[in-house]
Amino acid sequence: MSTVEAPLYPIAVLIDELKNDDIQLRLNSIRRLSTIARALGEERTRSELIPFLSENNDDDDEVLLAMAEELGVFIPYVGGVEHAHVLLTPLETLCTVEETCVRDKAVESLCKIGSQMRENDLIERFTPLVKRLAAGEWFTARVSACGLFHIAYPSAPETLKTELRSIYGQLCQDDMPMVRRSAASNLWKFAGTVESAHLKADIMQMFEDLTQDDQDTVRLLAVEGCAALGKLLEPQDCAARILPVIVNFSQDKSWRVRYMVANQLYELCEAVGPEPIRTDLLPAYVRLLRDNEAEVRIAAAGKVTKFCQILSPELAIQHILPCVKELSLDSSQHVRAALASVVMGMAPVLGKDATIEQLLPIFLSLLKDEFPDVRLNIISKLDQVNQVIGIDLLSQSLLPAIVELAEDRHWRVRLAIIEYIPLLANQLGVGFFDDKLGGLCMQWLQDKVYSIRDAAANNLKRLAEEFGPDWAMQHIIPQVLEIANDSHYLHRMTLLRAISLLGPVMGSEITCSKLLPVVVNASKDRVPNIKFNVAKVLQSLISVVDQSVVEKTIRPCLVELSEDPDVDVRYFAVQGLQSIDQWSVNTRPESFFLIHLASQTSSRRDSPINCPTTPLALQALISTLLPISLFPMDLDMDYEDDGFYAEIRRQILLLTAEDDDDYQETETNNSPPTRGAANLCRLRHASYFSWCAGEKTNSAPTWLSNLWRNDNSNRTGTGVFIPHINNSRRWRRPSRMRKRKNTQATTKQS
Amino acid sequence: MNPTTRQPLQWKFSQVFGERSSDDEIQDADRISTVEFDKSGDYVAVGDRGGRIVIFETKDGKNTADQHYSRNQLEQLDYVSLNQPEYRYKTEFQSHEPEFDYLKSLEIEEKINKLKWCTSLSGSLFILSTNDKTIKLWKAQDVGIYVDKLLHCYALHHGVVNENSFGLWSQVKDRKVKKAREIDSPHQLLSSENTLLSERSFINEHGTPSFANGSHVESGANSIFPSQEPRSKIANYEDTAYARCRRVYAHAHDFNINSISNNSDGETFISADDLRINLWNLEVSNQSFNIIDMKPSNMEELTEVITSAEFHPIHCNLLAYSSSRGFIRLVDMRQSALCDYSARIFQDEECHGSRSFLTEIVASITDIKFPVDGRHILSRDYMNLKLWDMHMDSSPVATFKIHEHLRPKLCDFYNNDTIFDKFECCLSGDGLHFATGSYSNLLRIFFHGGGSDEGATIEASKDPNSIKNRKPLPRARRSSLSNLTRGFYKQGHESTSVDEYSLNSSSKLQHLAWHPCTYLIACASGNSLFFYHA
């Protein structure tokens, strides 16, 4: 492995950063803990790194969380399973911190390690740890202990097993409700490892205690474990011990407990036989469906289909269906919405006759519901009904519902129905769609809300995919292209968006003959926003059309735009021209040699860290990678070559490890103009000001195009273009960079 | 001290923080807006109008398990009166800052409306604090305790000190100590500006050579961690705590939050504003559930607002809230998710005999409290302190008249808004004694079974001219308890006329809290915090 031979300098930096005052640096360092450990070697990791981490437990939660996670996979770095126990110490302290997610992660990691440890170590090291935590002074330790018993128990000798069971019993009766909650939610895990004799005696006793707890929250979690516990028991035991509890819970005073039962009931049905279902669980479920608390009905209604799948169709029709009818007229809209989202699934269970006779009226009444979510939920699951009875019976009432949703006052509702249009089109067929829905799809393109227009454009693309280019040519393209003459520039912009999406679907020929002329035409628009969007669309079409068309039509158009008075238009035009060049370079095989060369040159530098030109080298390297990752399909070279990738990865690692300040300078100086929605994410003070100055002297575009020409003329083939590099760099380490940047920006301003 | 004797307690001055001389103007930001003891009574937290929280701790050591035990023993042995807890400054931090809500063009004050202690875990203190809109969870951690703990852990885990790891470790230690220093200095700055910790009270505590106290701290530290080299260096920082904001529960209230209350399950809490009550999970700050909504669809139909809300101390499902119409509603959260209608109403039917505009205003309940056992509810309205039995919703079991003598003046008080003053109330840990505040910095204390006239009245000041009712307390025998309890007790003027009560309506004692285990009351007047014990 090349990393072993890599200079130790970055490792020293990482170790140093473990102690840095900046939390972000500490966090980065912790995330690379495995790298550090590999560099230190197994022995020094055990004797130095792990003790250091054990004491480092007062850090920010984020760091502790990362540490707890990393330590879970640390066994290979401390010398394998025989040394796994050294990891217990840092994790034990993490089990007692006050932040719940850190504790949970530490417990999870401890379980991972414990499950790999040798039996001997488990008895000698792991079990004492569990006992220590269970006797902890602070409840946080006891909470964590509950999650570890199922690892410690199986390998323990008989006397220890008895002790562990009694400790768990004490935890179930702890003073702190938090501990009892943890004991309740981990009980089924522990129960899974306990021998069946003790299961029936000890564990069931604990379970019964927990189900009678004063605290509602403890009982809630006890319910959650019911189903899992039931599956461990024999069916007859389950019916005898768990069933009464569940039936009791289904009539609990607390609606929260009943809510949990409603959610869990069908799982429990799998544990008990069919007979108890009919005699006990079905009545309980029906009661829950008619509960007077809406929340409980919501939970119960959401499980209607799953419950029906367990029952025989007769029972379902006899007992459940009347409740479903009531629920469809429920006073709470949320109950109706929950029902609507699953009720379609009942159709396959009940069969065709019952569906037409009983369910259809329910569907129809829900389709006319005044609450849009209910209608949407029905429409989203249309396919399930279609399989059983066909769409025809529904289509009569479907259409008004769709039209009404399509014109709903709330744009989110409109957005939701647009999402379902392809599904509807699929189910309803081309003919129906043409008649009724085609107009709607066009109407949305001119909606007042951007998200709707955007979704509408996307919808057209999906429809074109669904029905094929020929259909689209006939039904979509003409109407879409008409928008080009719209007086509103936002509508014309939507057109461009639609074209960029439709282009790849329609194929090269239609794009060249129909779409491209419209785009080129739009490049003469008087609104700059249209023009730079043209540049963006053209850029996206490069990959769709032939090389010749690119050279003949797209390039001249972009060149023209690159001389536009508006800076944003120029920026995107130059970007478009850039990608034309990259495209043509990358489709030629000899370019790979150049890429190799670039990586070789940067790797030959003696010490990249001290080299002032490193940022540029890095930029070059990354920009060689960009086209590779963008167009992997067109390459005939073997990119699975591990050595090649490993080398590049190492280069990047080395380069990113170098000093930030050098980089900072290069970056701010070379920053491209940033304005406009597309660039918003890169908007920063420092570069923004430099750009403003640039605009006055009109130097920015010249500088940009010079940069491009230079790269082009000397043909290094790497296509260095700063914006890409900035992007990727920022993406790698976002928050850290942002932090630095802000401070720099303020100093510059002052 | 024996609770079975139905006698008023004999109250003595114990301590004061932030005492002012009479000619000092009190800065509004320094006025205390809430006082709260933690569950063990080892800590007391104070919030002020400037958004700051100050924590005091008992002088006699930290809340270790041993100490609890010994205190319980002492209580049984009736020694408590000899061993009243005394408090010292621990830490202070800025909890809320003034904000501006741009959407509603509304200024949001930084004033701390309520404080609640949460279950402390792993040695740090957790406090919920709220201003009008935003609730925050604060963690105050003892740097000293932490470093000691670290050492302790270290000693435990590494009987043999490895040189290499020790190197790493000592670097960490340096970092921590540096942190402690950094934190230390801003505190000094803050406290010098803060009149709550006016020079005198601070210096008196630490500056006067008090051998007993000083040596106690040292010996305490020594006994816990016997002879470990690095510890002694760090022991100097023992008193430094720093606070970190752990969670912010925001954007859930349209109206001003008046109370927060923790549930007995240790997982949830409620926050109540004028018209709504929301339920939160302590761990989830981006989601809350509305459980009570009194907002009418038409705001002109508004007849009452929520004035205070509290969870039952034992039953996790019971919640009581009081309204401006004088009702206390008890809600069972098990019955339904929205608790608007499932209320049991406690209302004093007598009060609704003769109605007038003013009687309706003074009927408004300003505070309710549950005793530890949860059998009763104590409520305070403008005129009275009332004790309700949970099993009797038609009338209170006891009514203590506080402001009856002001009845003729209500009209004037209405004109200058004094009638809207909100007084808090509190109960002793055994539930047998009740206290509330009044004007002229008066603290009124009653006991179960005694009438309105049988309570004790204390003027909150270092030099309390305690006003006696018919039963004068025996003369105080000591002029000074110690150099630390700089109070002395004098017998008050026998002839207290009604007028004297009400004269000073600008100095009112609104916020107070009772120590959970002993007869010790902390009450706030202006910027000063007074402790009285019996």
Side-chain angles (χ1 to χ4, degrees):
Chain A
M1 273 214 182
S2 56
T3 35
V4 178
E5 289 149 30
L8 273 176
Y9 180 78
I11 301 300
V13 170
L14 284 176
I15 293 176
D16 199 46
E17 285 184 353
L18 278 177
K19 293 169 284 188
N20 199 296
D21 274 341
D22 184 350
I23 173 189
Q24 197 58 46
L25 297 186
R26 290 203 303 279
L27 200 56
N28 284 340
S29 205
I30 289 280
R31 294 229 177 273
R32 302 259 200 81
L33 217 51
S34 52
T35 317
I36 298 177
R38 226 180 310 174
L40 284 175
E42 293 167 359
E43 199 174 322
R44 288 188 69 194
T45 301
R46 285 199 300 274
S47 64
E48 290 172 48
L49 186 65
I50 298 295
F52 168 74
L53 293 176
S54 314
E55 283 132 18
N56 196 17
N57 65 347
D58 182 43
D59 217 320
D60 286 282
D61 300 325
E62 226 178 322
V63 178
L64 295 183
L65 183 67
M67 198 192 330
E69 189 169 2
E70 293 293 329
L71 287 176
V73 292
F74 229 60
I75 289 184
Y77 309 117
V78 292
V81 181
E82 59 265 37
H83 294 288
H85 60 84
V86 298
L87 296 172
L88 299 184
T89 316
L91 285 170
E92 182 179 350
T93 41
L94 287 175
C95 276
T96 61
V97 301
E98 67 245 8
E99 185 58 46
T100 314
C101 59
V102 177
R103 287 203 309 268
D104 289 350
K105 190 56 88 180
V107 168
E108 193 187 314
S109 291
L110 271 179
C111 290
K112 258 191 226 164
I113 291 169
S115 58
Q116 294 173 54
M117 277 168 85
R118 293 179 306 185
E119 194 162 304
N120 202 12
D121 283 343
L122 271 174
I123 297 168
E124 276 169 25
R125 315 264 187 174
F126 197 87
T127 313
L129 173 141
V130 175
K131 276 160 55 179
R132 262 200 310 279
L133 285 175
E137 182 193 353
W138 302 103
F139 76 84
T140 47
R142 304 199 295 273
V143 166
S144 299
C146 295
L148 296 171
F149 276 76
H150 66 284
I151 302 291
Y153 189 81
S155 58
E158 204 47 51
T159 48
L160 205 54
K161 279 185 174 174
T162 316
E163 195 186 346
L164 285 175
R165 283 198 305 273
S166 85
I167 293 176
Y168 203 90
Q170 282 161 21
L171 289 172
C172 288
Q173 291 167 0
D174 199 277
D175 283 344
M176 299 300 263
M178 298 82 162
V179 181
R180 298 203 300 273
R181 274 199 290 275
S182 178
S185 56
N186 285 301
L187 185 66
W188 64 274
K189 279 189 213 159
F190 182 44
T193 61
V194 173
E195 301 81 356
S196 66
H198 298 303
L199 184 66
K200 274 187 219 162
D202 296 359
I203 300 290
M204 286 314 293
Q205 188 55 47
M206 294 176 205
F207 175 70
E208 271 156 33
D209 288 347
L210 289 170
T211 57
Q212 285 157 22
D213 201 281
D214 281 343
Q215 290 286 348
D216 290 355
T217 43
V218 177
R219 289 209 308 277
L220 281 181
L221 293 169
V223 181
E224 246 187 340
C226 264
L229 207 55
K231 282 172 195 166
L232 294 172
L233 292 165
E234 305 277 310
Q236 66 267 28
D237 283 333
C238 181
R241 307 289 294 268
I242 307 268
L243 206 59
V245 176
I246 273 288
V247 171
N248 239 346
F249 271 151
S250 74
Q251 300 169 64
D252 197 279
K253 281 194 301 273
S254 169
W255 68 268
R256 279 165 231 268
V257 173
R258 297 199 303 272
Y259 174 90
M260 289 301 269
V261 175
N263 264 328
Q264 300 284 327
L265 201 59
Y266 77 94
E267 273 188 53
L268 195 78
C269 288
E270 292 162 11
V272 298
E275 188 52 29
I277 293 182
R278 206 175 55 78
T279 56
D280 293 309
L281 292 181
L282 184 60
Y285 185 66
V286 169
R287 260 199 309 277
L288 291 171
L289 283 172
R290 291 184 170 138
D291 200 280
N292 50 20
E293 175 55 43
E295 300 282 338
V296 179
R297 292 199 304 274
I298 291 172
K303 301 286 183 225
V304 152
T305 301
K306 282 186 173 158
F307 205 85
C308 285
Q309 281 161 358
I310 296 168
L311 295 173
S312 64
E314 297 81 52
L315 281 176
I317 292 169
Q318 195 188 341
H319 294 283
I320 306 287
L321 213 52
C323 296
V324 170
K325 263 182 207 152
E326 286 168 30
L327 288 176
S328 71
L329 304 168
D330 198 280
S331 58
S332 162
Q333 56 191 30
H334 302 290
V335 175
R336 297 197 305 271
L339 181 72
S341 64
V342 295
V343 73
M344 304 301 261
M346 282 178 77
V349 180
L350 297 185
K352 187 166 180 173
D353 291 343
T355 303
I356 293 176
E357 207 175 298
Q358 313 258 9
L359 271 183
L360 200 59
I362 296 174
F363 294 158
L364 295 179
S365 83
L366 289 173
L367 258 183
K368 293 189 192 98
D369 201 281
E370 59 185 336
F371 187 54
D373 275 13
V374 180
R375 282 171 278 158
L376 277 174
N377 284 346
I378 285 283
I379 288 170
S380 66
K381 297 280 160 54
L382 264 185
D383 47 340
Q384 286 168 326
V385 183
N386 205 8
Q387 288 159 11
V388 183
I389 55 168
I391 206 88
D392 304 340
L393 283 166
L394 270 181
S395 59
Q396 281 297 311
S397 30
L398 205 51
L399 196 67
I402 295 169
V403 171
E404 205 177 304
L405 286 169
E407 287 160 359
D408 197 280
R409 208 160 44 84
H410 299 286
W411 66 268
R412 281 173 211 280
V413 176
R414 299 201 295 273
L415 189 64
I417 188 73
I418 292 176
E419 300 283 317
Y420 294 128
I421 287 289
L423 172 82
L424 284 170
N426 180 319
Q427 299 290 324
L428 296 168
V430 178
F432 185 87
F433 183 85
D434 286 348
D435 288 349
K436 320 278 180 179
L437 299 181
L440 281 176
C441 293
M442 293 303 143
Q443 189 185 320
W444 281 320
L445 278 177
Q446 300 180 22
D447 199 277
K448 281 198 199 80
V449 178
Y450 169 77
S451 300
I452 301 292
R453 296 195 301 270
D454 192 53
N458 217 352
N459 178 40
L460 292 181
K461 178 194 127 194
R462 285 166 69 190
L463 285 173
E465 283 167 351
E466 184 77 43
F467 294 144
D470 292 341
W471 176 85
M473 194 52 225
Q474 217 174 358
H475 292 93
I476 294 184
I477 302 292
Q479 285 136 305
V480 169
L481 295 185
E482 264 170 41
I483 303 175
N485 303 321
D486 198 294
S487 61
H488 200 311
Y489 86 97
L490 286 175
H491 294 166
R492 298 200 296 276
M493 212 132 92
T494 315
L495 164 74
L496 291 175
R497 169 92 181 125
I499 288 177
S500 73
L501 288 168
L502 282 170
V505 183
M506 303 303 287
S508 160
E509 198 182 316
I510 296 177
T511 307
C512 293
S513 63
K514 291 281 182 185
L515 304 181
L516 208 52
V518 180
V519 178
V520 171
N521 225 8
S523 72
K524 306 198 172 51
D525 205 288
R526 64 199 154 77
V527 181
N529 295 46
I530 298 290
K531 286 194 275 192
F532 76 68
N533 273 295
V534 166
K536 283 200 269 184
V537 172
L538 288 176
Q539 193 180 345
S540 74
L541 291 181
I542 293 169
S543 55
V544 179
V545 299
D546 287 340
Q547 189 78 25
S548 60
V549 182
V550 171
E551 292 300 328
K552 209 166 62 194
T553 323
I554 294 184
R555 189 186 283 276
C557 184
L558 282 174
V559 167
E560 194 183 322
L561 287 173
S562 70
E563 283 149 16
D564 196 90
D566 188 276
V567 66
D568 284 329
V569 178
R570 290 197 301 270
Y571 171 73
F572 284 106
V574 169
Q575 208 177 36
L577 288 168
Q578 193 64 46
S579 36
I580 292 181
D581 289 321
Q582 273 180 8
W583 177 255
S584 52
V585 165
N586 287 323
T587 43
R588 265 177 282 157
E590 65 265 29
S591 63
F592 300 122
F593 175 71
L594 296 174
I595 294 169
H596 259 300
L597 196 68
S599 65
Q600 291 298 317
T601 29
S602 57
S603 69
R604 283 219 193 91
R605 291 182 203 285
D606 294 327
S607 166
I609 292 145
N610 300 325
C611 172
T613 57
T614 315
L616 284 175
L618 174 69
Q619 290 158 7
L621 190 63
I622 294 177
S623 63
T624 56
L625 293 176
L626 260 184
I628 297 172
S629 56
L630 279 176
F631 313 111
M633 288 300 135
D634 301 294
L635 307 173
D636 38 2
M637 187 174 155
D638 182 18
Y639 274 91
E640 301 306 309
D641 181 1
D642 280 343
F644 176 69
Y645 264 126
E647 178 62 20
I648 288 179
R649 216 176 291 128
R650 198 173 74 86
Q651 294 296 324
I652 294 178
L653 200 76
L654 279 176
L655 292 168
T656 49
E658 51 78 36
D659 192 10
D660 266 334
D661 293 332
D662 284 356
Y663 183 77
Q664 204 57 51
E665 268 187 35
T666 4
E667 188 187 45
T668 39
N669 292 345
N670 294 353
S671 285
T674 50
R675 201 185 64 171
N679 250 356
L680 214 62
C681 59
R682 279 211 305 277
L683 185 64
R684 329 174 272 275
H685 288 290
S687 58
Y688 189 70
F689 287 125
S690 70
W691 167 75
C692 279
E695 192 187 38
K696 272 177 210 141
T697 57
N698 208 13
S699 66
T702 349
W703 165 77
L704 265 179
S705 41
N706 279 349
L707 187 75
W708 164 68
R709 274 185 205 118
N710 285 346
D711 284 328
N712 250 0
S713 55
N714 59 22
R715 276 284 165 194
T716 49
T718 53
V720 175
F721 193 69
I722 314 294
H724 287 297
I725 293 135
N726 283 350
N727 270 343
S728 51
R729 169 77 186 203
R730 281 175 59 77
W731 176 77
R732 282 182 65 85
R733 285 193 283 181
S735 42
R736 179 181 170 187
M737 297 301 289
R738 201 171 300 133
K739 215 172 191 174
R740 295 265 171 123
K741 215 150 282 155
N742 287 342
T743 50
Q744 190 165 1
T746 41
T747 46
K748 278 209 172 174
Q749 279 171 63
S750 58
Chain B
M1 183 56 220
N2 193 345
T4 48
T5 62
R6 299 263 156 126
Q7 290 288 315
L9 299 165
Q10 300 181 9
W11 290 92
K12 302 175 196 71
F13 171 78
S14 160
Q15 261 185 301
V16 63
F17 290 99
E19 199 215 354
R20 64 181 188 277
S21 49
S22 52
D23 49 342
D24 272 354
E25 274 285 306
I26 308 171
Q27 293 287 314
D28 191 52
D30 293 329
R31 285 181 181 278
I32 293 173
S33 56
T34 179
V35 185
E36 195 78 29
F37 279 100
D38 86 324
K39 226 186 229 167
S40 62
D42 287 336
Y43 298 94
V44 59
V46 167
D48 67 17
R49 300 182 76 100
R52 285 163 300 200
I53 294 176
V54 188
I55 302 175
F56 302 92
E57 64 183 344
T58 43
K59 277 180 184 168
D60 42 346
K62 305 273 188 286
N63 54 341
T64 56
D66 298 346
Q67 227 115 26
H68 275 302
Y69 189 57
S70 67
R71 180 167 298 142
N72 286 340
Q73 276 188 327
L74 284 172
E75 233 166 335
Q76 283 163 4
L77 295 169
D78 217 2
Y79 279 158
V80 181
S81 53
L82 299 175
N83 192 21
Q84 284 300 330
E86 284 197 36
Y87 292 86
R88 63 176 169 196
Y89 169 78
K90 181 181 173 70
T91 186
E92 169 184 330
F93 55 91
Q94 188 77 35
S95 168
H96 287 76
E97 303 274 358
E99 284 173 84
F100 192 79
D101 182 345
Y102 291 95
L103 280 178
K104 291 178 185 147
S105 285
L106 208 69
E107 253 179 84
I108 302 169
E109 282 189 316
E110 68 271 34
K111 177 191 160 205
I112 309 284
N113 286 348
K114 268 281 159 29
L115 276 176
K116 289 283 167 186
W117 290 89
C118 298
T119 326
S120 92
L121 25 88
S122 56
S124 357
L125 308 169
F126 284 81
I127 298 180
L128 273 177
S129 67
T130 183
N131 67 353
D132 283 344
K133 300 288 177 204
T134 309
I135 307 156
K136 291 181 180 177
L137 179 65
W138 286 92
K139 171 185 158 187
Q141 193 176 23
D142 228 319
V143 171
I145 274 204
Y146 164 70
V147 178
D148 283 347
K149 206 175 86 186
L150 185 96
L151 277 158
H152 196 57
C153 288
Y154 187 79
L156 276 183
H157 291 307
H158 311 273
V160 184
V161 177
N162 177 317
E163 239 181 22
N164 270 329
S165 62
F166 195 79
L168 277 175
W169 172 80
S170 66
Q171 281 170 330
V172 181
K173 191 198 72 191
D174 286 346
R175 180 158 69 87
K176 298 301 177 201
V177 174
K178 201 175 86 201
K179 214 184 239 173
R181 273 210 190 92
E182 281 164 5
I183 284 154
D184 202 48
S185 46
H187 272 304
Q188 298 292 356
L189 279 175
L190 267 178
S191 56
S192 68
E193 282 170 357
N194 182 16
T195 43
L196 184 67
L197 298 159
S198 68
E199 294 282 298
R200 270 178 61 200
S201 70
F202 212 113
I203 289 170
N204 268 338
E205 266 178 74
H206 293 280
T208 24
S210 157
F211 294 112
N213 186 36
S215 65
H216 179 80
V217 171
E218 267 174 37
S219 65
N222 278 334
S223 63
I224 301 168
F225 303 108
S227 66
Q228 254 273 323
E229 255 285 277
R231 180 205 17 93
S232 53
K233 291 182 204 160
I234 301 151
N236 300 337
Y237 298 99
E238 199 189 24
D239 282 341
T240 317
Y242 64 97
R244 252 193 291 184
C245 184
R246 301 287 309 211
R247 282 195 177 77
V248 178
Y249 312 87
H251 312 302
H253 284 279
D254 288 336
F255 306 96
N256 291 348
I257 300 174
N258 53 43
S259 36
I260 44 180
S261 175
N262 296 95
N263 194 315
S264 56
D265 66 7
E267 188 179 46
T268 52
F269 70 95
I270 48 162
S271 57
D273 68 16
D274 294 336
L275 291 173
R276 297 191 177 111
I277 298 180
N278 290 341
L279 179 71
W280 301 82
N281 187 319
L282 275 167
E283 310 236 317
V284 184
S285 56
N286 57 5
Q287 186 186 37
S288 74
F289 298 96
N290 181 256
I291 51 173
I292 289 164
D293 188 353
M294 303 221 308
K295 187 173 177 289
S297 49
N298 179 4
M299 279 297 264
E300 281 166 17
E301 293 163 11
L302 187 68
T303 53
E304 63 178 326
V305 295
I306 299 169
T307 53
S308 172
E310 202 175 41
F311 265 123
H312 192 278
I314 298 163
H315 300 296
C316 61
N317 55 320
L318 292 182
L319 155 71
Y321 66 100
S322 61
S323 83
S324 58
R325 282 171 71 194
F327 300 147
I328 300 170
R329 290 179 170 85
L330 191 70
V331 169
D332 185 356
M333 298 207 316
R334 281 178 183 162
Q335 278 185 8
S336 81
L338 300 174
C339 304
D340 300 350
Y341 302 110
S342 55
R344 199 171 145 207
I345 300 182
F346 295 85
Q347 76 185 97
D348 196 347
E349 274 147 14
E350 272 173 48
C351 278
H352 293 266
S354 62
R355 280 198 186 187
S356 76
F357 178 63
L358 287 174
T359 53
E360 278 192 19
I361 292 178
V362 295
S364 172
I365 293 176
T366 54
D367 193 22
I368 53 170
K369 288 274 159 65
F370 278 106
V372 181
D373 63 7
R375 264 212 59 178
H376 296 87
I377 300 175
L378 185 71
S379 77
R380 169 74 208 256
D381 54 45
Y382 190 74
M383 304 299 280
N384 307 306
L385 187 68
K386 289 175 182 169
L387 184 72
W388 304 78
D389 192 306
M390 296 274 281
H391 301 292
M392 186 163 81
D393 53 16
S394 55
S395 72
V397 289
T399 303
F400 305 99
K401 295 189 180 351
I402 311 284
H403 283 161
E404 202 53 40
H405 56 282
L406 297 178
R407 207 171 269 283
K409 299 191 167 185
L410 286 181
C411 214
D412 299 341
F413 280 9
Y414 175 73
N415 287 332
N416 61 15
D417 279 355
T418 313
I419 202 168
F420 297 107
D421 285 339
K422 296 181 106 188
F423 292 96
E424 289 178 3
C425 57
C426 62
L427 298 99
S428 62
D430 54 20
L432 297 171
H433 295 261
F434 326 108
T436 189
S438 174
Y439 293 107
S440 309
N441 282 340
L442 290 185
L443 175 66
R444 308 288 307 272
I445 303 160
F446 305 94
F447 61 93
H448 197 82
S452 303
D453 309 330
E454 292 177 83
T457 303
I458 301 169
E459 185 185 344
S461 70
K462 196 183 103 185
D463 187 15
N465 281 330
S466 198
I467 298 160
K468 292 294 133 329
N469 288 344
R470 260 142 237 151
K471 281 187 184 170
L473 290 165
R475 239 167 224 285
R477 278 159 294 272
R478 280 172 295 184
S479 61
S480 165
L481 295 171
S482 77
N483 63 329
L484 287 167
T485 55
R486 300 171 309 283
F488 50 94
Y489 206 73
K490 270 199 236 163
Q491 186 170 7
H493 307 286
E494 294 278 7
S495 57
T496 319
S497 76
V498 166
D499 279 308
E500 268 179 64
Y501 268 119
S502 54
L503 274 178
N504 198 356
S505 61
S506 65
S507 58
K508 47 203 169 196
L509 194 156
Q510 288 174 292
H511 309 286
L512 71 174
W514 203 304
H515 189 286
C517 320
T518 69
Y519 288 153
L520 179 89
I521 297 177
C523 53
S525 143
N527 64 342
S528 322
L529 182 67
F530 294 90
F531 289 89
Y532 293 93
H533 70 91

